[in-house]
Amino acid sequence: MTRPARVDRDENNKIGGDENVRLFCALCLPDDAADAIVAWQAGLERGRVVPRENLHFTLAFLGWQPRSRLDEVVDALRRRCAETAPPEFGVERYRETRSVGMLVFTQDSGAEKLALGLQEDLLGRAERDAWLPHVTVLRFRERARLRPPLPELEPFVTSEAAAFLSVLRPTGAEYVVLESVRLGGS
C-alpha cells in the first residue's frame, strides 16, 4: 500500500473531477501480522505472491466509481469506523478459488458489521449475508491446489482501516491509501 495519495481538491476542499477510479475500503494489517504472512508466503510453491504492501482485509469493493464520490466514501468509512472497536483475528485455514489463494480468519462481529454497513452505505446493499474475513495471499491463472501449513501467526488486533485507490499497472494493481482511519473513534 502506497501512502498517502495526493488527491486534487477544489476551493471548498472537495475532491473534484468525474473521471472513474477503482475504489475499495479495507482493514489494514499490523506490521507483525504482515511480516508473518510474508515469511509464510516464501514457502508457497506456485502462483504469484501478493506483495506485502497489498495485504489487507477487504471491507467493501466499490469497483469503478466517479472521482466525485471520494469524499462520500471517506465520510462513510470515518463514520462506520468511529462506531467499531478494533477487531481481533486468528488464522483458521487456507482456501482457494479459481484465481486466488487466501488465508481465512476467525469471524469478528464488529468487523462484519463494519463491512456489511459500508457495503450498504456505498453500494446500496450488502454483497452477501455474511462477510468472510480473509487476506488474499496468492494469485494464479490455474488453480494451484496447494495445501500449505498455516502460517505461524498469533491472534492479532487491527486498529486501522483505509479507503484505497486501486491503480491498475502492467505489473499488477497498486493500492494507494486515500485516507486511513482509526477504529473506535480514537
Side-chain angles (χ1 to χ4, degrees):
M1 289 174 261
T2 304
R3 300 177 185 253
R6 182 183 170 280
V7 178
D8 293 326
R9 296 177 181 267
D10 67 15
E11 64 277 356
N12 298 316
N13 201 32
K14 293 289 182 188
I15 298 168
D18 249 353
E19 67 273 15
N20 286 337
V21 291
R22 286 181 84 218
L23 300 173
F24 68 96
C25 296
L27 290 171
C28 304
L29 291 172
D31 287 338
D32 54 345
D35 291 343
I37 291 172
V38 168
W40 172 81
Q41 286 174 310
L44 297 176
E45 301 165 356
R46 292 190 296 280
R48 185 170 40 99
V49 168
V50 173
R52 183 187 194 285
E53 61 272 10
N54 287 2
L55 298 173
H56 64 274
F57 290 94
T58 302
L59 296 167
F61 181 74
L62 309 176
W64 292 101
Q65 297 289 319
R67 181 178 286 271
S68 59
R69 283 200 74 200
L70 293 177
D71 284 324
E72 175 191 354
V73 170
V74 169
D75 289 346
L77 182 67
R78 280 189 199 127
R79 186 176 79 279
R80 290 283 181 175
C81 284
E83 303 166 353
T84 305
E88 181 176 37
F89 297 106
V91 66
E92 277 191 341
R93 62 190 160 93
Y94 173 80
R95 175 181 176 214
E96 288 184 2
T97 66
R98 285 183 289 179
S99 60
V100 300
M102 63 184 78
L103 291 173
V104 177
F105 290 80
T106 53
Q107 192 61 258
D108 179 277
S109 61
E112 181 176 50
K113 183 178 177 186
L114 172 63
L116 298 177
L118 280 169
Q119 292 169 25
E120 288 175 10
D121 291 350
L122 300 170
L123 298 170
R125 61 174 171 59
E127 294 178 300
R128 293 179 180 78
D129 292 336
W131 175 68
L132 180 67
H134 71 280
V135 174
T136 300
V137 294
L138 188 66
R139 297 189 183 282
F140 36 78
R141 292 184 195 268
E142 283 185 32
R143 190 177 229 157
R145 303 201 186 282
L146 299 176
R147 293 182 182 214
L150 294 178
E152 293 184 27
L153 182 61
E154 294 294 320
F156 60 88
V157 173
T158 182
S159 59
E160 180 184 14
F164 292 89
L165 285 174
S166 175
V167 181
L168 299 179
R169 306 242 186 254
T171 56
E174 175 188 358
Y175 300 149
V176 180
V177 175
L178 289 170
E179 184 157 337
S180 64
V181 178
R182 302 287 296 172
L183 289 133
S186 58

